[in-house]
């Protein structure tokens, strides 16, 4: 399912794990928009919660700590990401207009609050060696997954699509549900994506809820696209970089594959 929304100042819920598509995704997803001087407190009693700061300038107070955050945009700068267990709280105070992607799910495990600073998250330039004529060049950032946060029921990171390039390609899928929330460098930016076998137009602040089938994404020429990506582990089957490639497109993984136009 794809959800198009025009978010307003405050907490904008897209899905809730108690109903509709949220049940399938097993997560809450929201976008928090703040203006200068706004404050917002997260206090979940049953759900672990994580957010990524897409852009803005703000401070967050949690667990007796204060962290100052400044991220002009998600294309040139790595994210700030806070991960809290159920029962923990945090308060954000915005200095300027700020945007946060928010993700929650049920989890009764206790763990220490973790703030991932920009220097803690590595940017992996995938497709940077000219694979498929350079058309799958993108930047992947993983804040936390099963490797560094096995106590969590979620995965959270970002992908930056270069204009006109593809991500989540070659086509593949995994059984665990996944969500993508899109931001463009220009609000009129757009792209296209395969969401549960349906091709949809992707727009600024749109959300894809992916529960089956492969899910390649492409940004239109001229527009850079960044999306937060979150995965919900199954209780008996966590996502451990699981990837099931579509058989008919597996040939594109061959580094010696012959592709028309290579010599042009």
């Amino acid at each position: 399912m794809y959800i198009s929304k025009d978010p307003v100042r405050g907490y904008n819920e897209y899905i809730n794990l108690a109903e509709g598509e949220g049940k399938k995704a097993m997560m809450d997803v929201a976008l928090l928009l703040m203006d200068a001087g706004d404050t917002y407190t997260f206090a979940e009693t049953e759900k672990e919660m994580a957010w990524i700061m897409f852009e803005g300038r703000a401070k967050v107070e949690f667990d007796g700590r204060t962290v100052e955050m400044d991220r002009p945009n998600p294309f040139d700068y790595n994210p700030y990401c806070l991960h809290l267990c159920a029962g923990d709280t945090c308060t954000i105070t915005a200095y300027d207009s700020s945007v946060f992607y928010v993700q929650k799910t049920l989890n009764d495990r206790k763990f220490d609050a973790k703030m991932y600073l920009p220097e803690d998250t590595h940017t992996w330039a995938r497709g940077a060696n000219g694979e498929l004529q350079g058309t799958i060049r993108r930047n992947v950032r993983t804040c936390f997954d099963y490797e560094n946060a096995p106590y969590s029921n979620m995965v959270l990171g970002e992908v930056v699509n270069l204009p006109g390039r593809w991500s989540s390609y070659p086509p593949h899928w995994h059984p665990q549900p996944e969500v993508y929330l899109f931001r463009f460098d220009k609000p009129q930016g757009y792209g296209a994506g395969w969401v549960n076998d349906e091709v949809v137009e992707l727009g600024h602040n749109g959300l894809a809820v992916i529960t089956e089938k492969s899910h390649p994404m492409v940004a239109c020429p001229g527009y850079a696209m960044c999306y937060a990506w979150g995965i919900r582990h199954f209780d008996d089957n966590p996502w451990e970089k699981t990837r099931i490639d579509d058989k008919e497109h597996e040939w594109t993984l061959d580094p010696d594959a012959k592709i028309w136009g290579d010599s042009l």
Side-chain angles (χ1 to χ4, degrees):
M1 181 178 184
Y2 180 76
I3 301 170
S4 180
K5 188 181 283 284
D6 186 14
V8 297
R9 181 182 180 184
Y11 187 83
N12 298 263
E13 184 176 85
Y14 282 72
I15 57 174
N16 186 293
L17 60 80
E19 58 189 23
E21 289 298 307
K23 280 188 175 181
K24 297 178 183 178
M26 303 167 64
M27 294 187 290
D28 298 352
V29 171
L31 203 60
L32 174 64
L33 273 58
M34 304 179 72
D35 285 348
D38 289 351
T39 63
Y40 193 90
T41 297
F42 287 99
E44 290 290 338
T45 58
E46 298 181 335
K47 299 171 184 176
E48 65 172 300
M49 186 275 297
W51 50 249
I52 278 179
M53 183 188 209
F54 268 137
E55 60 187 59
R57 197 169 63 88
K59 73 175 180 181
V60 59
E61 298 168 278
F62 67 99
D63 195 29
R65 298 175 56 193
T66 299
V67 175
E68 302 283 341
M69 303 176 292
D70 186 357
R71 192 185 193 196
N73 66 69
F75 301 96
D76 302 304
Y77 301 87
N78 277 6
Y80 294 88
C81 173
L82 180 63
H83 188 195
L84 300 176
C85 71
D88 282 352
T89 65
C90 75
T91 298
I92 302 170
T93 302
Y95 300 137
D96 293 322
S97 177
S98 301
V99 180
F100 297 83
Y101 167 83
V102 183
Q103 185 174 289
K104 308 174 187 177
T105 196
L106 295 172
N107 189 349
D108 59 7
R109 300 184 192 93
K110 291 298 182 182
F111 53 87
D112 292 337
K114 174 67 176 178
M115 182 73 184
Y116 298 91
L117 300 172
E119 56 266 30
D120 298 324
T121 300
H122 174 66
T123 296
W124 180 17
R126 299 199 63 183
N129 296 318
E131 298 93 328
L132 298 181
Q133 301 171 332
T135 55
I136 59 171
R137 169 72 171 84
R138 74 271 195 193
N139 292 333
V140 178
R141 306 171 180 139
T142 304
C143 297
F144 64 88
D145 60 11
Y146 192 70
E147 287 186 0
N148 66 342
Y151 44 78
S152 176
N153 285 337
M154 305 189 299
V155 174
L156 185 54
E158 290 181 335
V159 174
V160 177
N161 266 51
L162 279 68
R165 311 290 178 86
W166 292 74
S167 63
S168 295
Y169 200 92
H172 64 275
W173 64 281
H174 46 77
Q176 298 85 3
E178 186 168 15
V179 292
Y180 294 163
L181 198 147
F182 301 91
R183 300 279 290 180
F184 287 83
D185 62 335
K186 298 177 176 59
Q188 70 270 33
Y190 66 107
W194 278 251
V195 181
N196 303 331
D197 229 16
E198 179 184 1
V199 182
V200 299
E201 181 178 328
L202 310 175
H204 196 55
N205 297 321
L207 176 75
V209 182
I210 303 160
T211 54
E212 59 179 326
K213 307 289 187 178
S214 59
H215 42 274
M217 303 286 160
V218 62
C220 286
Y223 296 106
M225 178 174 79
C226 175
Y227 56 89
W229 61 279
I231 296 175
R232 178 38 160 102
H233 298 304
F234 287 141
D235 293 341
D236 59 350
N237 184 15
W239 184 78
E240 298 182 78
K241 296 183 169 60
T242 314
R243 179 186 174 111
I244 304 169
D245 296 304
D246 284 0
K247 294 293 184 183
E248 63 182 333
H249 301 297
E250 276 188 335
W251 68 271
T252 61
L253 296 170
D254 182 353
D256 298 318
K258 302 300 181 185
I259 302 174
W260 183 90
D262 279 345
S263 60
L264 295 180

